[in-house]
Each structure stands twice: as C-alpha cells, then as structure tokens.
Amino acid sequence: MTEHYDVLVVGAGPAGLAAAQAAAGHGARVGVIDAQPRPGGQVWRHDVRHASPHAARQAFATLARVEWLARHSVMGAETQVLRVEHPDGVRLLGYGALVLATGARELMLPFPGWTLPGVSGAGGLQALAKQGWPVAGKRVLVSGTGPLLLAAAATLRTHGAHLLGIHEQAPTPAVHAFARQMLHWPARAMQAISLRTRLAGVAYRCGSFVRRANGDDRLRSVDIEGPDGAQQVKCDLLATGYGLVPNVELAQLLGCALATHDTHPHVQVDALLRTSVAGIHAAGELCGIGGLAAARIEGAIAGHMAAGDLAAASALLPARARARRFAGLLSTHFALDPRLRTLATPQTTICRCEDVTLGELDGYTDARDAKLATRCGMGACQGRICGSALAELGRFPRSGSRPPLFPARLATLAEASPPLSD
C-alpha cells in the first residue's frame, strides 16, 4: 500500500528542513525522510556532549509540523513513488511533489597509507567525535582544504583532541585573498573569527599537504610537503578532506539531468530549483557545493515551489544569488594543487572495499569495464569514494547509479516489484 504526501522531502539536513518548513507553512502534508536516526545532516549532526546551535534547534522544531520518517533509506523509485527501507521493512511513499536535499560527501584523494587505521575524512572524524568516539588526548593532524577544516578541528578540540596543526593545501596568497573578501560577508567573517579563537595556539599552515601516511597496524606518522620542504610528524589520527561531492545518485535514478561541466556533476536546476523532471525540485549541495547559508535559502525556495507558491519562492532569489557568490569564492581560492592528483602510486589502494590498487586500473578508460574486470566500485560504498577519487585523478568520470542505492536486506530486494536489480 502506498502512503501519499503532498510534498516529500528526502534529506533532513539544513536544506531539507528548510524545505519542509516552507511547504508545511502552506498547509501541505509533508513527509521528511532520512537514513539517520536524528535530523541535522552532517552540519547539524547530534553531539552527545554539546547542545546543537540555536539555528539547528529552531529547524528541528519544524518536525513537529510534519511527518518525520527517521532511519528510512531510499532503495529505488517508480512513477511518483519511492521504495524505502526502514527498520521494520519496506514502505512505498507517494508524492505530489518531491524535494531532493541529499547533501554531499567528502572528497578523499588517495595517497600512500590513506587506508591505514587512524586515517579518516575530516568530516568523518568530526562526526565520530560528536557521536562519542574517543579522541580525547589523541594527537590529531588535520589536512586538506577549505573552511570546513576549521569547523572539524574546532569540534575535535572541543572533544579533547590534541591538535598538532591544520595543513591547508591552498597557498598563502590565495587564503589571504579569500580572507579579504570575507569583509563583504560580515556574518561569515565573524564565524571564521570565532573558529580561529576556539583554535588559538593551533598552527595553520598554508601551501602544505600530507604526502604519505606511515604505520604498520595503524597510523604512526605522516610525511608533509610544505613551502619549507618535507617533514615527518608523529600522530595518532589524521583527518583529511579535499572538499565535497554532491550526492546525485537518487536524482540520477529519477531521471534528473545533471550539469557535467565540472569533474563532479550536480543536479541541473532552473532559477526556481526545478529539475528536468516535472514535480521534482533540488536544494542545497545537490545543486553544487554552496555551504550552509545557500542550503537553507534553497531549501526554502524548493519548499515554496513544491507547495505551489511562486511568489514566496521568487522573493528569496536575491538572497540565494548572494549566497552562491560566496560559494564561488571558495572554489576560486581553494582550488586543488595539481600535485595532490599525483600522490597515489601504482601500489596505492584505490578501492578500499575490494582492495583494488591504482596500477590494476591501468589500461581502462571506461568505468564499467574497469568495474567488471577488477570489481572496483562494487563494494559497500558502491563507488562513492573510489569513483569520486578516480574522477578527480582524471581516470574516468563517475558512472551512473543503479538500484538499490545503498546496501539493502535480502527481504527488501525480495519485495521489490519490479525487481531492484533490473
């Protein structure tokens, strides 16, 4: 039996919550689904030791006016119906309008030793710390690019980690140029100042990146390349992240057109966030990495549009344009150093799920051929990590997604009609 919603929102991060609030304000029956047990996404992930930000708590209050469907994962789609797995089985959720707010994941660039225990994504380690994974007293080095490194480092320090330094790959002139531009966005400037205050005493080194992680059964040290040459730093944990990649898999499965002029495609939308498929809207990082402010504005636009209020959506377009201009600064000033794409050797594992090295992919120019021959991308993450990394390395672009989008129980697959494996 299919349960119907006027507006169904996929994703309970800032964009999804804003969409739900806007749609519910028009009296629509709104459902919000998310694979996690709590709302907030990565940005507002529940912290076992600290209260959520005021803005997050206000957004969470939205769920009192909608139907909150936690621990629901989309497995497949039919015409205006999503097939969803949850702890008690399978549900079919129909919709009049659909808002996709599936967010983004971290971009991991491979280097020798990146699969050692103790090496993780910057956002990944931040999430683990929030959920109670012990980092207190651990020597942690943070590396990668962009302002998100500061947020991750601040969380880790709050949870007791001993931060050895933040290594930003962008050169000093680029970072300083970005800082000067922040004067045009006072709220973001104040946020950056607040983060740096919380990180007082922690070195922030520009033009610096991790070349290799060393260890046996776990991480012991890292080799760092910087303006003054190479150095080795002993550490217990390495948190590294080189930006974000939009989660377009569900949108692609639904037939939404993608903008493919960048290495990592995002969903193609018009000015009012309508996708190429009638009745489906997209918001937030799915439309291109834009940050928290853009996500919340776009969520509200998509929610108003899903509920049929063109005027309310149009009124937010100037705010969206301003937020997106800030996102453009990030891509300009934190562009990746080409050397980062050359760190992996032929012996470096690329697909961690299936233990496939970079050298084993030599000679393949098509992702599907490489997958059939080596099983690269056929593990639990379904190529989300290695596929994005290989695209960044220029090996081959990410291939399309097939259902189920996430690992599913056999019972879920057995109930699918038509079969999800088709």
Side-chain angles (χ1 to χ4, degrees):
M1 178 178 177
T2 302
E3 191 166 1
H4 185 81
Y5 294 89
D6 298 324
V7 177
L8 189 61
V9 180
V10 181
L17 293 173
Q21 180 180 19
H26 297 290
R29 185 191 182 194
V30 180
V32 181
I33 69 176
D34 196 282
Q36 299 300 318
R38 294 174 180 266
Q42 172 60 22
V43 175
W44 288 336
R45 184 180 291 274
H46 175 69
D47 193 316
V48 296
R49 290 177 52 185
H50 303 280
S52 300
H54 178 67
R57 295 197 300 273
Q58 286 185 314
F60 297 160
T62 298
L63 297 177
R65 302 168 55 201
V66 304
E67 295 184 41
W68 164 232
L69 307 174
R71 300 175 68 187
H72 282 55
S73 298
V74 178
M75 293 292 107
E78 301 162 25
T79 304
Q80 288 194 286
V81 174
L82 297 183
R83 183 176 296 274
V84 179
E85 182 181 71
H86 62 100
D88 298 323
V90 178
R91 301 176 69 176
L92 297 178
L93 304 179
Y95 55 86
L98 181 67
V99 177
L100 301 178
T102 49
R105 60 184 178 272
E106 285 188 280
L107 173 63
M108 301 289 288
L109 295 181
F111 51 86
W114 77 306
T115 59
L116 280 170
V119 181
S120 67
L125 188 57
Q126 180 187 36
L128 287 171
K130 286 184 175 182
Q131 294 176 341
W133 199 71
V135 296
K138 302 285 188 181
R139 298 169 299 172
V140 183
L141 188 138
V142 178
S143 73
T145 197
L148 291 179
L149 295 184
L150 296 178
T155 297
L156 294 170
R157 190 179 219 190
T158 299
H159 285 263
H162 173 52
L163 292 177
L164 301 177
I166 301 170
H167 293 263
E168 165 60 59
Q169 61 85 38
T172 299
V175 175
H176 286 177
F178 174 76
R180 289 192 294 271
Q181 291 290 330
M182 294 282 281
L183 296 175
H184 300 292
W185 282 271
R188 290 180 174 84
M190 290 303 297
Q191 183 183 35
I193 292 171
S194 175
L195 286 172
R196 287 301 295 147
T197 300
R198 291 167 58 188
L199 292 167
V202 178
Y204 184 85
R205 296 183 172 88
C206 299
S208 179
F209 57 88
V210 172
R211 178 173 290 280
R212 173 185 291 272
N214 308 301
D216 35 46
D217 57 332
R218 65 177 179 84
L219 177 68
R220 305 289 180 178
S221 67
V222 295
D223 295 343
I224 297 173
E225 185 75 25
D228 299 324
Q231 63 172 314
Q232 188 171 94
V233 178
K234 293 182 178 180
C235 58
D236 303 308
L237 300 172
L238 169 64
T240 181
Y242 288 98
L244 300 173
V245 177
N247 289 323
V248 301
E249 289 77 13
L250 177 55
Q252 193 171 17
L253 181 66
L254 291 165
C256 300
L258 303 182
T260 57
H261 54 275
D262 294 327
T263 301
H264 308 288
H266 59 269
V267 175
Q268 184 174 300
V269 293
D270 66 11
L272 291 165
L273 304 184
R274 293 171 290 204
T275 72
S276 62
V277 178
I280 300 181
H281 313 263
E285 311 291 38
L286 192 59
C287 304
I289 305 306
L292 174 60
R296 298 185 70 188
I297 296 167
E298 290 181 352
I301 293 172
H304 288 308
M305 288 298 297
D309 193 331
L310 176 62
S314 299
L316 294 171
L317 293 181
R320 181 196 180 223
R322 180 173 173 78
R324 281 288 169 181
R325 283 197 297 273
F326 180 79
L329 293 178
L330 295 177
S331 60
T332 298
H333 295 291
F334 293 94
L336 295 182
D337 187 320
R339 290 177 294 174
L340 295 168
R341 301 183 180 93
T342 65
L343 297 179
T345 69
Q347 294 75 38
T348 301
T349 297
I350 295 297
C351 177
R352 298 183 292 185
C353 297
E354 299 291 337
D355 290 327
V356 181
T357 65
L358 183 61
E360 292 178 83
L361 299 174
D362 288 345
Y364 296 101
T365 58
D366 178 80
R368 185 175 184 275
D369 290 344
K371 180 185 292 187
L372 292 174
T374 68
R375 292 190 56 83
C376 181
M378 295 182 72
C381 86
Q382 288 293 284
R384 286 173 171 83
I385 303 300
C386 61
S388 298
L390 286 166
E392 191 64 47
L393 297 185
R395 284 298 182 114
F396 25 72
R398 285 274 289 140
S399 57
S401 301
R402 300 175 59 191
L405 296 177
F406 297 97
R409 297 188 296 264
L410 289 176
T412 299
L413 301 179
E415 289 184 39
S417 178
L420 290 177
S421 59
D422 281 358

